[in-house]
Amino acid sequence: MPSYTAPTKDIQYVLHDLLNISGSDISGYGDLEPEFTEAVLDAAGQLASEVLTPLNAVGDKEGCRLENGVVYTPTGFKGAFEQMKEGGWTGLDLPEQYGGQGMPYIVGTAVGELFSSANQAFTMYQGLTHGAVSAILVHGTDAQKDLFMPKMVSCEWTGTMNLTEPHCGTDLGLMRTKAEPNDDGSYKISGQKIFISAGDHDMAENVIHLVLAKIPGGPEGIKGVSLFIVPKYKVNADGSVGEANGVSVGSIEEKMGIHGNSTCVMNYDEAEGYLLGDMHKGMRAMFTMMNEARLGVGMQGLAQAEAAYQNAVIYAKDRLQGRAVTGAENPDGPADPLIVHPDIRRNLMDQKSFIEGARAFLYWSASLIDAGHLKGDKDAEGLVSLMTPVLKGFLTDKGYEATVNAQQIYGGHGYIEEWGMSQFTRDARIAMIYEGANGVQALDLVGRKLAQDGGKHVMAFFEMVKGFCKENNGEDMADFVEPLKLASKDLQAAGMFFMQNGMKNPNAALSGSYDFMHLFGYTCLGLMWGRMAKVSLAALENGTDDPVFHETKLATARYFMARQLPMTMTLLKRIESGADTVMALDAENF
């Protein structure tokens, strides 16, 4: 069975050496001293490794089951969820007013990585609830917040998001779910939703669904969509659970992965619901939840890659296979360990350089969310809005690739279920699809986010990279700055291509959108590795009690700059080839 150990040391490095969170002027960051965050991470890591990790294979094997209208989670999930609730982990970064602990979002992100690495399917139950709470917090009335949030923050009640219907996924304007107004201000919700993660289960006494539906007589298409709070059981005025609502589970989806999460078909038969936010403005309210969820899904790509990598390293060090080409390194044994071979090293370095760069990128983005929410920094909000499709799309694509690479280290054993490596690959695969498939993320990036606020935020990113390179043009940083300059030029050239060709030939821009999302992702990780190299060089120069850690960080940074970042040149060439080859065939010729 695979194991998992929380990478606390590297997380602490990102939080304190790189981001210097305790020295930030963001509200609440001053309390995040290294000793405090280490204690939080150690406690979360213990729960992750000792409780959640052993249940990961259990959930994968057993899955969830629907019996007589009741959804049962895998063996051990209910007890683990009780431990999660008792420890206050479900409300770590949620308002104290509603029973949360009020910590900044970046702390929740770090802890979320640990839990997701240990057991992604399990962690989704509280993750979906967190997103629903965020939507109610921003768009709900005071009465709605007081009624629903305390028990959702504690996960006595959990939450979901209901968007997709059998006939429509991304194109939500086609939805058919209806919301008929009642005389008392509530609505009768009728329709069917599919792919509803954590749609129902036996770990909470109520499930609060956020459901997109159309009020008759409203505008056509997406402009006529509203968002509703629809509880599984009606909630009495005193907050107690009342009678059953018109909500039922039609079936549980049989999936490639995340078997421990109950992905449900949900049926609404004149269920009582309550408008959340403004009428016909449901997508505005839902995007509050979806943007947070997209960053969380990007985190899942990183988390599965980390767990798979840890096990691949253990196997590569233990498995004896062949001899090193430069001479035996284990002369007393029948063969050398796999890790002596250059191709195994390349594979592991690909994984390691992605994971550590992605972690820095993710946590930096979480700090931008905190800057926007806690100090009203509109520039930070704009920048993280630009980065959201990159975080979601690039981190899940490359995270999935990392799990495949980790599986490859095992050879044939990686393909055998007994060893557990295939679960990381199967679980990671969904992250490229849900919360907006990665192709849609690329379209959002190129079609909307680049031009947002007149292109202000992408220009700010270019200036950020340019400023970093200018400030660090010394010889000691040349290995990191020069490749970053080239990548940034490739990114700007791609943006210029879209500007020059996008209006007259939109297909030219959209044909290159996926490549651009990856080009942007590589450049972001390049900036993170440049920043980490600067930090570790300074640590070695000033005298550190752990020189090996920082020397390892620099070696990994050099690998990324030399072997990964040059991918931007290939991606630019693909973008500049335009749409002709992409659109050349008539549909019937496929």
Side-chain angles (χ1 to χ4, degrees):
M1 180 188 296
S3 62
Y4 172 70
T5 302
T8 304
K9 189 171 187 178
D10 197 64
I11 293 175
Q12 285 284 89
Y13 170 83
V14 173
L15 293 177
H16 298 288
D17 295 22
L18 179 65
L19 299 177
N20 187 27
I21 56 173
S22 60
S24 170
D25 64 351
I26 297 173
S27 177
Y29 271 42
D31 297 329
L32 303 180
E33 295 291 342
E35 296 79 9
F36 175 76
T37 56
E38 183 175 26
V40 172
L41 292 169
D42 283 346
Q46 183 176 4
L47 181 60
S49 62
E50 296 180 5
V51 178
L52 303 189
T53 296
L55 293 176
N56 200 34
V58 174
D60 187 54
K61 184 176 181 179
E62 290 187 11
C64 298
R65 68 187 195 278
L66 176 63
E67 295 181 359
N68 299 319
V70 179
V71 175
Y72 295 94
T73 50
T75 303
F77 271 44
K78 196 168 185 178
F81 205 61
E82 288 302 314
Q83 290 188 56
M84 191 70 66
K85 291 187 286 187
E86 289 168 5
W89 297 108
T90 62
L92 195 67
D93 57 353
L94 293 172
E96 293 178 88
Q97 177 183 355
Y98 300 106
Q101 298 192 45
M103 294 186 195
Y105 182 74
I106 196 170
V107 178
T109 300
V111 169
E113 181 199 330
L114 307 187
F115 292 159
S116 190
S117 283
N119 194 325
Q120 178 175 318
F122 174 90
T123 304
M124 288 171 63
Y125 290 98
Q126 68 201 61
L128 269 296
T129 306
H130 190 289
V133 166
S134 296
I136 295 173
L137 181 64
V138 173
H139 299 283
T141 64
D142 288 342
Q144 287 173 337
K145 294 175 192 177
D146 291 341
L147 188 62
F148 292 105
M149 284 190 52
K151 291 191 176 180
M152 293 180 73
V153 167
S154 67
C155 273
E156 292 173 74
W157 302 346
T158 58
T160 72
M161 53 194 297
N162 285 234
L163 293 83
T164 307
E165 299 184 7
H167 61 283
C168 69
T170 301
D171 192 352
L172 293 172
L174 298 175
M175 73 174 55
R176 297 171 184 159
T177 301
K178 298 296 184 185
E180 298 277 357
N182 294 318
D183 293 339
D184 63 358
S186 65
Y187 291 79
K188 292 193 291 283
I189 311 297
S190 298
Q192 185 179 78
K193 299 290 185 176
I194 63 172
F195 307 155
I196 308 307
S197 299
D200 197 67
H201 55 89
D202 59 350
M203 301 189 298
E205 63 177 356
N206 206 355
V207 181
I208 310 302
H209 301 284
L210 298 193
V211 183
L212 286 176
K214 289 184 174 180
I215 300 171
E220 292 296 318
I222 199 67
K223 294 182 179 179
V225 172
S226 301
L227 184 62
F228 299 87
I229 300 172
V230 188
K232 174 183 176 180
Y233 295 104
K234 296 178 183 180
V235 179
N236 298 319
D238 63 359
S240 61
V241 174
E243 63 183 8
N245 207 352
V247 181
S248 63
V249 179
S251 63
I252 298 177
E253 306 283 7
E254 294 187 17
K255 311 183 297 292
M256 175 180 176
I258 56 169
H259 296 155
N261 193 269
S262 53
T263 307
C264 298
V265 174
M266 301 300 304
N267 295 320
Y268 295 89
D269 184 12
E270 295 191 349
E272 185 171 286
Y274 319 102
L275 183 67
L276 178 61
D278 296 329
M279 186 182 298
H280 309 317
K281 301 294 183 182
M283 289 310 298
R284 178 188 302 171
M286 186 59 88
F287 269 116
T288 299
M289 188 173 184
M290 288 179 67
N291 283 335
E292 177 185 308
R294 286 171 176 171
L295 191 141
V297 171
M299 179 264 288
Q300 288 178 347
L302 160 65
Q304 292 305 295
E306 170 68 39
Y309 167 75
Q310 286 189 18
N311 287 278
V313 169
I314 293 169
Y315 189 84
K317 290 179 178 180
D318 289 346
R319 175 73 168 178
L320 301 182
Q321 198 82 71
R323 289 293 188 188
V325 294
T326 53
E329 296 194 18
N330 179 34
D332 296 330
D336 290 333
L338 279 172
I339 202 164
V340 306
H341 303 300
D343 191 61
I344 298 294
R345 293 292 189 97
R346 171 204 57 78
N347 187 334
L348 291 173
M349 287 297 287
D350 280 349
Q351 296 173 57
K352 181 177 175 65
S353 62
F354 162 72
I355 289 164
E356 294 179 15
R359 180 174 291 122
F361 181 31
L362 180 74
Y363 290 15
W364 171 65
S365 300
S367 74
L368 293 177
I369 290 178
D370 278 332
H373 289 174
L374 301 177
K375 60 182 284 191
D377 188 335
K378 296 300 182 184
D379 290 337
E381 286 185 353
L383 189 55
V384 81
S385 178
L386 170 69
M387 294 299 173
T388 295
V390 183
L391 283 158
K392 197 280 183 184
F394 184 71
L395 295 195
T396 58
D397 278 352
K398 299 300 290 183
Y400 174 77
E401 179 183 304
T403 66
V404 172
N405 287 341
Q407 188 182 28
Q408 188 75 11
I409 297 288
Y410 280 67
H413 287 144
Y415 200 66
I416 303 300
E417 292 295 336
E418 177 187 352
W419 289 81
M421 293 303 289
S422 76
Q423 185 184 351
F424 297 125
T425 301
R426 289 184 286 103
D427 286 357
R429 185 64 183 89
I430 185 57
M432 303 160 70
I433 299 173
Y434 61 12
E435 306 305 340
N438 285 358
V440 175
Q441 301 302 319
L443 296 179
D444 179 48
L445 175 63
V446 171
R448 293 179 61 247
K449 297 298 178 63
L450 288 183
Q452 189 173 329
D453 295 330
K456 172 183 177 181
H457 306 299
V458 72
M459 294 307 297
F461 178 77
F462 290 147
E463 286 300 312
M464 185 183 299
V465 176
K466 181 179 178 181
F468 176 82
C469 292
K470 187 175 182 179
E471 293 166 9
N472 298 282
N473 60 357
E475 186 176 345
D476 60 336
M477 284 289 290
D479 288 350
F480 316 105
V481 167
E482 293 307 316
L484 181 57
K485 284 182 182 177
L486 294 175
S488 181
K489 288 178 181 178
D490 289 340
L491 184 63
Q492 292 180 65
M496 186 61 66
F497 175 84
F498 293 151
M499 288 180 60
Q500 293 172 346
N501 296 277
M503 292 297 292
K504 59 186 178 183
N505 183 9
N507 283 339
L510 299 185
S511 295
S513 61
Y514 210 97
D515 293 311
F516 185 79
M517 179 177 71
H518 275 233
L519 201 167
F520 211 141
Y522 277 112
T523 306
C524 288
L525 263 62
L527 176 60
M528 295 301 116
W529 273 117
R531 289 175 171 177
M532 287 189 284
K534 180 180 180 180
V535 167
S536 286
L537 282 169
L540 290 169
E541 183 178 343
N542 295 331
T544 172
D545 58 1
D546 194 353
V548 173
F549 176 89
H550 293 284
E551 288 163 358
T552 300
K553 190 67 70 173
L554 289 168
T556 310
R558 289 189 177 93
Y559 180 91
F560 183 86
M561 295 298 185
R563 301 279 304 215
Q564 292 292 315
L565 198 53
M567 279 297 298
T568 61
M569 291 186 284
T570 298
L571 294 165
L572 175 61
K573 287 293 184 183
R574 287 165 59 99
I575 291 166
E576 291 178 338
S577 71
D580 290 348
T581 56
V582 174
M583 305 300 293
L585 295 182
D586 292 332
E588 58 267 21
N589 293 332
F590 279 88

